[in-house]
Amino acid sequence: MVKVLFFGRLGDFSENIELKVNCTEIEATPKKIRSLLSEDNVNLGKQLAAAQVLVAVNKVIVGWDYPINDGDELAFLPPVTGG
Amino acid sequence: MKSHIRVECENFDVGLEYQRLRLLCHQIGAVVTFTGLVRDFENSESQKVRSDSLSAMDLQHYPGMTEALMTNIAEEAAVRWSLLGVTIIHRVGKLSPNDQIVFVGVASEHRSEAFNAAEFLMDYLKLKATFWKRVMIGDQWHWVSPKSSDEDAMLKWGRH
């Protein structure tokens, strides 16, 4: 199980979800999980593919090929606009 | 260096925050504070809209990650300048025009460190901390897009 969070405008396209995937079997990465999500939700997929979207695993920014393990928290982060 | 980091819905009192920094220790010779407000023009999507149509702002963040990033930002400033205290407060939730959003306060021995660090902290906060704003225009929420000027502002601080 991977907890998947969507922030900012990405939250308009999906609720936060608990994704049932066998991480070891599919060698899960943010890129692979993005593909899985895009199959089910084309509009979300388009948003996640935007160049400026970053990914965090367990609240740390990582690359799109970072290995994801069962129990991890994956977050998709659009460009930040605080301050 | 003492850092004080808060993310909260409640409003903050600039006077109290200034006193907290001022009273940290006797070596302090300068305190610089910055307060950011919900301002009268907001860049919504790609169009400029007038303030009188902006009725509300809503700020969301990533709990846990935001506080960690804000702590990193304060530590990064303390590496660059000799600082005695840093306070960063960022509000979340629903806000109205003219409300206070963000507070940065820096205490140091001399003024130049405090001025520079306060500006650096704000530039870094805008570009790195996990906050997302949306604004209510008419009866519609619009997510705010980042401004390229915020990215440009970071360039003067070198590698980040």
Side-chain angles (χ1 to χ4, degrees):
Chain A
M1 191 84 82
V2 176
K3 194 172 174 186
V4 188
L5 308 178
F6 304 93
F7 287 95
R9 70 179 74 237
L10 302 176
D12 291 347
F13 296 86
S14 174
E15 298 287 317
N16 294 336
I17 52 170
E18 303 265 338
L19 195 66
K20 285 185 192 133
V21 286
N22 186 329
C23 293
T24 323
E25 198 174 289
I26 67 161
E27 293 181 350
T29 61
K31 201 187 279 177
K32 282 197 182 154
I33 292 191
R34 180 178 65 184
S35 299
L36 288 175
L37 295 168
S38 307
E39 284 169 20
D40 291 341
N41 184 337
V42 177
N43 287 332
L44 175 66
K46 280 183 194 161
Q47 294 290 324
L48 296 180
Q52 299 138 320
V53 172
L54 299 178
V55 276
V57 171
N58 301 328
K59 302 183 168 71
V60 176
I61 301 280
V62 297
W64 287 92
D65 293 317
Y66 185 86
I68 293 174
N69 298 306
D70 194 38
D72 280 351
E73 181 176 283
L74 170 66
F76 291 96
L77 315 173
V80 298
T81 52
Chain B
M1 197 273 298
K2 284 232 174 198
S3 63
H4 181 84
I5 308 290
R6 281 173 15 221
V7 179
E8 58 196 14
C9 296
E10 295 77 36
N11 197 10
F12 51 82
D13 182 327
V14 173
L16 282 181
E17 299 309 327
Y18 162 71
Q19 294 297 354
R20 187 203 304 278
L21 283 163
R22 182 176 76 87
L23 298 171
L24 277 179
C25 66
H26 290 161
Q27 283 74 46
I28 292 169
V31 175
V32 165
T33 68
F34 169 85
T35 309
L37 309 180
V38 177
R39 71 194 169 88
D40 56 358
F41 277 89
E42 200 46 79
N43 183 4
S44 160
E45 300 294 305
S46 58
Q47 72 201 90
K48 286 273 184 189
V49 288
R50 278 186 55 80
S51 63
D52 50 15
S53 58
L54 188 161
S55 53
M57 177 179 279
D58 181 41
L59 271 141
Q60 181 193 64
H61 81 120
Y62 187 176
M65 185 166 180
T66 313
E67 292 86 346
L69 285 167
M70 287 163 77
T71 304
N72 291 348
I73 290 166
E75 284 168 1
E76 171 79 22
V79 168
R80 289 170 182 247
W81 295 280
S82 175
L83 307 178
L84 296 166
V86 167
T87 297
I88 311 175
I89 303 169
H90 207 300
R91 293 179 69 193
V92 289
K94 294 265 163 59
L95 297 172
S96 301
N98 221 234
D99 277 354
Q100 302 184 135
I101 307 179
V102 60
F103 175 88
V104 163
V106 182
S108 60
E109 279 187 54
H110 303 289
R111 70 181 184 283
S112 67
E113 283 98 339
F115 273 125
N116 281 313
E119 189 177 15
F120 168 84
L121 287 167
M122 271 313 300
D123 288 347
Y124 214 115
L125 193 62
K126 281 192 96 90
L127 206 67
K128 295 284 181 187
T130 41
F131 292 97
W132 296 273
K133 271 186 198 126
R134 54 181 188 156
V135 289
M136 176 79 88
I137 311 288
D139 57 357
Q140 294 265 321
W141 284 109
H142 298 270
W143 288 103
V144 173
S145 299
K147 294 190 288 289
S148 57
S149 57
D150 291 337
E151 188 111 25
D152 296 344
M154 274 306 295
L155 296 176
K156 66 177 172 287
W157 305 113
R159 194 176 61 82
H160 61 274

